[in-house]
Amino acid sequence: MKKFGVLFGVLFVFFAIMSASGQALFERGETNAGNLGLSITNVGVIGKADVRNNPDAGVSMRFPINTGTEHLFEAGLWLGAFVDGGLRVSTAAVTNPSGYSRGQSGYEFTPDGPIRFEGPQTGLGVSDQDLITTFTDRNLIIPGTTTQIAGHSDPLYADVEQTSYNWAFPFTENFSILKLSITNRSDEYGPTGGFAWDSLYVGQYADIVVRNVFTAQDQGSAFFNKNGLGYLDSRYTTYAFDAGSNDASSINTYGGITILGSEITHPESGQTVFYHPANPIFDPSHPEHNRVSSLPSPIVDPSYWLFSAGTGVYQGPPRGSAGDQQRYDRMSSLFPLDEVRPNSPDGRTIREELRTDGQDSQGNYISMIATGPFRRVEPGETIYIYFGVIAAEKTEPFVNGIAGKAVDDEESRQLFEDSIDSMYRVFLGEDADSTGIYSAEKDINGNGRLDRFLFPTPPDAPKLRIELSAGTATLYWDRSAESSQDPVTNELDFEGYKVYRTDLGDDLNPTPRLIREWDRRGNDVGFNTGLEDILLEEAVTFPGDDTEYWYRFEVDGLLSGWQYQFSVTSFDFGSQIFELGPLETSPNVNAVRVFPGTPANLNFSDSGEEFAVGVYPNPYRINAAWDGTTDQTRKLMFTNLPPRAEIRVYTLSGDIVAEAEHTSDSIGDIQWYNQFSTETRILPGGEFAFDLLSNANQNLTTGLYLFSVKNLESGHVQTGKFAVIK
């Protein structure tokens, strides 16, 4: 019997491979605090290379997180430096059709501890979700095995702690900031006394690929070659977008990687300084902060090569130690973006080729962004590198449709560039002038140091509950947001609430829109509506839920069988210190999907039309408006079902073609819900979804079908029929 239960979308995933001795060899975690889902491992690899073939098993770099729009095949850390005159390079990811392959050449980092999560739930951490991994290149043999890592004989003895910071506010929810603490451990694990790293470069290799893994029909190289790529010079960001696919159902987005900066110990003063090309290096000990000529600003530069069969400037470096010089050159040499290649057939610059090749299915490029040189890193010394991983929608009118895919200009990138700027502000925190130099004027919280990641935040998100009936969703929420305190200003700065919902047909790419707003009276923020219209005289509670709900808002006119998303946000009155307007919680934080329909039928055995089982749409026409794009994502609804029921579908000759069991806490075990819904949803109780697939996983053909519904409590049976039209 085909068993129907709820298949939840992946919100958090944690995988581990263990050796026979119990030592962790490989672990993968996913960020989900905001609207960007990012796969991170404890071997320096970012992304999930098999997401195209296995999209339901976890995200790679998915944005929005509840869609199938991915932005990354795989990325990974590269380090390269000279040791006693000889070059050493260690990499976490290289060009490989299979992605991460333990022990193969180019995958030279191994785990140095389990993945850890910190955040408000632990009372530790910096962001709403800190994902912490540790890995090292010092092992020549895979821990717990006797397997030599191919091509890896001269490690840097680099120990890396990587922390991914993630927040759930509207201006932070589409990026993850990676802090890499890179320590020279040659004194502890290398030759006697250790050795220094000279002219160190640090890079992030990335195969950025923007496609919707649920709706794209392309296979093989055709899936990967539609990308346009670009580089934002002043924002130190390499990015990609879907420039040439014919996938009209997916939204058009950008995905990119930014170098935010680094922190090093100044060789003359011994103090920590911010090391970035946007910031001349200053001597903190000098009263006038004169520039130190012995420590010039680093470079940040991108590099690009074709995934395979590249030549000239597009030829990728070989894997393994034989390619160390080429890999180092990719990090340390300026890439000729604005030059024309010799013998170029059309005279386009390299920058223009990268941007437009995806329109002709030639855009299968690898990206590299690197910074350096770090002149000398002594044994035992640690440097800190900050990368940003970011995605954003194209702006209107380019966010939807085929016509908007190829467009890449200042207008289409506006949201993307604004998000990068927000990421920089979050990263800099109190270091607003990006010098890394302390002053009392910059020390907003007065703790005697400059704090990164310090920024005003909205109030807490309200706790939301939705009660569902046929055609109506009633929203209840608590008043916890009204007592939340801003971590920077220490103000109780709550101002009001907003209600968001999606519209019919938003299943593929949910786009919440504001439908109502209320705020406090007596100031110049908002509309001064007051909260009285939604405030209850007394708080209400529900069975099994001790939360006191003080606000109520009803939305009617909803259609059965369709999915709607609702959320309630809170907002404050802004920050004068940071010159910010009102800050609002994300509509995604407490978002709930609801499916209006009939409740569980407790009078199933009674006669009368109001208790009769039904089917809709009837007749069912292939490619109904709420269907997905594949045969496995169709949806036919049975309605007015008892709490527990057995459903059977027959041909006119009486052959059983499909069977299922229904319970009031499920809505059907079909692929549609796995792709286009989430775990957080409210079900009507008396409806069931059928994907028009037989027990043998074959599509039902055009014709008339009979069905029976048996109440598993009473044994009573109702029957009916429906038609399928193609």
Side-chain angles (χ1 to χ4, degrees), residues 463 540-549:
K463 185 172 183 180
V540 297
T541 59
F542 296 88
D545 182 358
D546 295 331
T547 301
E548 293 187 343
Y549 296 98

mmCIF file of all heavy atoms in Angstrom, residues 463 540-549:
data_model
loop_
_atom_site.group_PDB
_atom_site.id
_atom_site.type_symbol
_atom_site.label_atom_id
_atom_site.label_comp_id
_atom_site.label_asym_id
_atom_site.label_seq_id
_atom_site.Cartn_x
_atom_site.Cartn_y
_atom_site.Cartn_z
ATOM 1 N N LYS A 463 5.518 35.567 18.446
ATOM 2 C CA LYS A 463 5.155 34.166 18.293
ATOM 3 C C LYS A 463 3.772 34.109 17.666
ATOM 4 O O LYS A 463 2.822 34.701 18.170
ATOM 5 C CB LYS A 463 5.165 33.444 19.633
ATOM 6 C CG LYS A 463 4.897 31.948 19.493
ATOM 7 C CD LYS A 463 5.103 31.202 20.796
ATOM 8 C CE LYS A 463 4.883 29.706 20.585
ATOM 9 N NZ LYS A 463 5.075 28.941 21.847
ATOM 10 N N VAL A 540 -5.628 34.952 25.091
ATOM 11 C CA VAL A 540 -6.200 33.624 24.884
ATOM 12 C C VAL A 540 -5.063 32.616 24.788
ATOM 13 O O VAL A 540 -3.940 32.932 24.367
ATOM 14 C CB VAL A 540 -7.059 33.567 23.600
ATOM 15 C CG1 VAL A 540 -8.239 34.502 23.706
ATOM 16 C CG2 VAL A 540 -6.227 33.898 22.365
ATOM 17 N N THR A 541 -5.342 31.387 25.205
ATOM 18 C CA THR A 541 -4.409 30.272 25.076
ATOM 19 C C THR A 541 -5.126 29.134 24.362
ATOM 20 O O THR A 541 -6.355 29.151 24.197
ATOM 21 C CB THR A 541 -3.901 29.791 26.449
ATOM 22 O OG1 THR A 541 -5.028 29.382 27.239
ATOM 23 C CG2 THR A 541 -3.145 30.901 27.172
ATOM 24 N N PHE A 542 -4.365 28.133 23.957
ATOM 25 C CA PHE A 542 -4.913 26.992 23.234
ATOM 26 C C PHE A 542 -4.423 25.709 23.881
ATOM 27 O O PHE A 542 -3.363 25.692 24.530
ATOM 28 C CB PHE A 542 -4.488 27.050 21.761
ATOM 29 C CG PHE A 542 -5.040 28.234 21.016
ATOM 30 C CD1 PHE A 542 -4.346 29.441 20.999
ATOM 31 C CD2 PHE A 542 -6.257 28.153 20.349
ATOM 32 C CE1 PHE A 542 -4.850 30.538 20.325
ATOM 33 C CE2 PHE A 542 -6.771 29.235 19.673
ATOM 34 C CZ PHE A 542 -6.071 30.434 19.661
ATOM 35 N N PRO A 543 -5.189 24.616 23.744
ATOM 36 C CA PRO A 543 -4.783 23.340 24.338
ATOM 37 C C PRO A 543 -3.376 22.942 23.895
ATOM 38 O O PRO A 543 -3.055 22.963 22.707
ATOM 39 C CB PRO A 543 -5.841 22.355 23.812
ATOM 40 C CG PRO A 543 -7.037 23.195 23.526
ATOM 41 C CD PRO A 543 -6.507 24.510 23.059
ATOM 42 N N GLY A 544 -2.532 22.612 24.867
ATOM 43 C CA GLY A 544 -1.164 22.219 24.574
ATOM 44 C C GLY A 544 -0.234 23.368 24.254
ATOM 45 O O GLY A 544 0.927 23.147 23.903
ATOM 46 N N ASP A 545 -0.712 24.596 24.353
ATOM 47 C CA ASP A 545 0.086 25.776 24.033
ATOM 48 C C ASP A 545 -0.165 26.820 25.119
ATOM 49 O O ASP A 545 -1.244 27.406 25.200
ATOM 50 C CB ASP A 545 -0.318 26.316 22.657
ATOM 51 C CG ASP A 545 0.510 27.523 22.232
ATOM 52 O OD1 ASP A 545 1.364 27.970 23.011
ATOM 53 O OD2 ASP A 545 0.292 28.013 21.103
ATOM 54 N N ASP A 546 0.852 27.058 25.959
ATOM 55 C CA ASP A 546 0.696 27.977 27.084
ATOM 56 C C ASP A 546 0.943 29.434 26.718
ATOM 57 O O ASP A 546 0.809 30.320 27.570
ATOM 58 C CB ASP A 546 1.659 27.584 28.220
ATOM 59 C CG ASP A 546 1.330 26.220 28.803
ATOM 60 O OD1 ASP A 546 0.145 25.839 28.759
ATOM 61 O OD2 ASP A 546 2.263 25.544 29.304
ATOM 62 N N THR A 547 1.312 29.707 25.481
ATOM 63 C CA THR A 547 1.570 31.096 25.072
ATOM 64 C C THR A 547 0.304 31.933 25.212
ATOM 65 O O THR A 547 -0.791 31.498 24.836
ATOM 66 C CB THR A 547 2.049 31.139 23.615
ATOM 67 O OG1 THR A 547 3.237 30.359 23.484
ATOM 68 C CG2 THR A 547 2.340 32.569 23.187
ATOM 69 N N GLU A 548 0.447 33.123 25.747
ATOM 70 C CA GLU A 548 -0.674 34.051 25.838
ATOM 71 C C GLU A 548 -0.700 34.925 24.585
ATOM 72 O O GLU A 548 0.223 35.698 24.325
ATOM 73 C CB GLU A 548 -0.555 34.926 27.088
ATOM 74 C CG GLU A 548 -0.706 34.143 28.386
ATOM 75 C CD GLU A 548 -0.747 35.057 29.602
ATOM 76 O OE1 GLU A 548 -0.342 36.240 29.478
ATOM 77 O OE2 GLU A 548 -1.188 34.605 30.663
ATOM 78 N N TYR A 549 -1.748 34.773 23.807
ATOM 79 C CA TYR A 549 -1.898 35.522 22.554
ATOM 80 C C TYR A 549 -2.801 36.727 22.800
ATOM 81 O O TYR A 549 -3.948 36.581 23.231
ATOM 82 C CB TYR A 549 -2.479 34.620 21.466
ATOM 83 C CG TYR A 549 -1.557 33.479 21.102
ATOM 84 C CD1 TYR A 549 -1.736 32.213 21.653
ATOM 85 C CD2 TYR A 549 -0.506 33.673 20.219
ATOM 86 C CE1 TYR A 549 -0.889 31.166 21.332
ATOM 87 C CE2 TYR A 549 0.350 32.629 19.886
ATOM 88 C CZ TYR A 549 0.152 31.382 20.443
ATOM 89 O OH TYR A 549 0.997 30.354 20.123
#
